[in-house]
Amino acid sequence: MTLRIDISGLPSGRLRFVASPLAELTAMLHVLAEPGHHPRLGGWAGDVWAGLRPELAERLREAEFLWRSSRADFLVPARPRQTLAEELDDVDRIDDEMYVTAALVTTCGSNRVHFAAPSPLTDVTARERALDLAQARGPLQEAFAERLLADPAAVRARVRGTLEQCADAFFDAAWTSVAVEIATDLRTKNDLLKRQGRGAALASVSEAVTLAPDGDSIVLDKLQDKSTSARGTGVTFIPSVFGSPHLVVVHAHGWQPVVQYPVAEPGSAELVSLETITLRLEALAHPVRQRLLRTLARGPHTTGELAHAWELSAPEVSRHLAVLRRAGLLTAQRQGRYVHYTLKLPDLTALGADLLAAVLR
């Protein structure tokens, strides 16, 4: 599964790496709403919640649908500014139609929901559908959607006020603490872009981000089959310290593509592709291969030994071993006439964590 961004004919200057205070604040808010996604930041999240004024804590909970399960597109800007205030000013310039549509998509709990036409702000049927979807998510979502549709200006002002209060409460200090790390990452990416081109720059973003062989699209290894176009607009890449492990992509119609990617941590493990994870899950699903793994977990074995242990034919064992090898779960080493197969225990052990990382990505 992949998400593809069409960049055919895109001038080199339209692929940009730049920092965004608003996008990083949104990543922090997601950590506060879903600390289970970010175990290494659990202590930070706990300290922030403990220090929040009750009023701000309540404000965050009432609007958390804008950043909890997915991010409202207007919170990950395509044209980042130097300051949070400037970026919030840009959000204020978005018309109610785009703002409400983006907010309802996240509030209703699915990035597959579209409110393109007719508008729930003006069409009774579209409005009822939006409220039904929000109601299905829970009473808090329903109440937020009702307020948003009844008085968009008031909700927008309240959300901005909440974000501004976050700056004083925790964001300014946290943003300062990650500024050097983000600046260092941006220097590396922009230097690669300038000296070695798009392919090298994209490869340094994440193993889940690649340039297609024809150079006409950016391919992101994510659990979705989607596509969008950057022709005429460009693609903005925003580094994030608080966003790890998520690879957030703005790809809805009408919005310039934006990718918020995690700054790599020193010594971080390599990402495992969705294709590899799928191969491993399929390989493990077969009962015969499960039996072979039971024996291989105890040490290296030859095809003949495995066939004898489980009363199988050698060709049948060979076929199953080939599947396990393609999935990257076995190694083979020849010793004279014999080939010994060894289970890659670390890769098998990490499969659960790799699957979770792919889902969260």
Side-chain angles (χ1 to χ4, degrees), residues 281-354:
L281 291 173
E282 291 173 346
L284 294 171
H286 198 288
V288 172
R289 291 193 282 274
Q290 292 171 12
R291 293 169 185 166
L292 297 178
L293 287 174
R294 178 180 173 83
T295 301
L296 288 167
R298 298 168 181 171
H301 285 73
T302 66
T303 301
E305 289 172 331
L306 292 167
H308 176 73
W310 291 105
E311 299 181 353
L312 301 168
S313 69
E316 184 178 4
V317 170
S318 294
R319 288 194 298 271
H320 287 298
L321 291 176
V323 173
L324 292 167
R325 288 190 70 187
R326 282 196 299 273
L329 292 173
L330 298 181
T331 59
Q333 185 176 12
R334 178 171 290 279
Q335 296 180 2
R337 295 172 49 201
Y338 301 100
V339 176
H340 288 82
Y341 294 91
T342 302
L343 176 61
K344 296 170 70 174
L345 277 171
D347 292 322
L348 184 61
T349 302
L351 182 57
D354 292 338

Side-chain angles (χ1 to χ4, degrees), residues 49-223:
W49 278 118
L52 288 182
R53 291 181 293 103
E55 180 199 356
L56 179 54
E58 179 58 30
R59 278 172 168 256
L60 292 181
R61 293 188 180 97
E62 75 178 26
E64 69 175 9
F65 325 112
L66 299 177
W67 50 73
R68 181 166 197 148
S69 59
S70 60
R71 318 288 172 84
D73 291 337
F74 53 78
L75 294 176
V76 189
R79 295 175 177 80
R81 307 285 189 173
Q82 290 292 319
T83 68
L84 178 63
E86 290 174 306
E87 292 185 320
L88 292 175
D89 287 343
D90 286 343
V91 173
D92 286 345
R93 297 185 185 98
I94 299 171
D95 63 44
D96 282 348
E97 185 84 21
M98 292 189 71
Y99 188 102
V100 168
T101 297
L104 285 176
V105 167
T106 58
T107 303
C108 294
S110 173
N111 59 10
R112 297 181 183 275
V113 179
H114 299 283
F115 298 98
S119 167
L121 287 176
T122 57
D123 183 86
V124 174
T125 301
R127 175 190 176 89
E128 289 178 350
R129 177 171 179 264
L131 291 174
D132 284 344
L133 289 169
Q135 184 182 49
R137 301 298 300 171
L140 294 178
Q141 288 92 327
E142 181 184 18
F144 182 82
E146 286 178 344
R147 292 195 302 271
L148 181 66
L149 289 169
D151 193 347
V155 171
R156 294 179 65 161
R158 185 169 175 82
V159 169
R160 173 167 182 154
T162 299
L163 299 177
E164 289 172 335
Q165 289 184 36
C166 288
D168 294 332
F170 61 87
F171 172 72
D172 288 346
W175 179 244
T176 300
S177 72
V178 301
V180 172
E181 195 172 350
I182 287 178
T184 300
D185 180 85
L186 287 174
R187 281 195 299 271
T188 300
K189 300 296 189 292
N190 283 307
D191 185 64
L192 283 170
L193 184 62
K194 179 180 178 181
R195 298 178 183 277
Q196 299 183 37
R198 292 174 175 175
L202 292 173
S204 71
V205 169
S206 166
E207 294 172 60
V209 181
T210 57
L211 184 65
D214 60 9
D216 283 344
S217 61
I218 298 170
V219 182
L220 297 103
D221 187 51
K222 285 178 68 69
L223 263 172

Side-chain angles (χ1 to χ4, degrees), residues 245-247 271-272 274 277 351-361:
H246 303 303
L247 189 65
L271 294 179
V272 178
L274 285 167
I277 293 170
L351 182 57
D354 292 338
L355 176 59
L356 179 60
V359 170
L360 293 178
R361 185 158 70 230

Side-chain angles (χ1 to χ4, degrees), residues 264-278:
E265 301 175 42
S268 57
E270 293 184 0
L271 294 179
V272 178
S273 71
L274 285 167
E275 181 182 8
T276 297
I277 293 170
T278 300

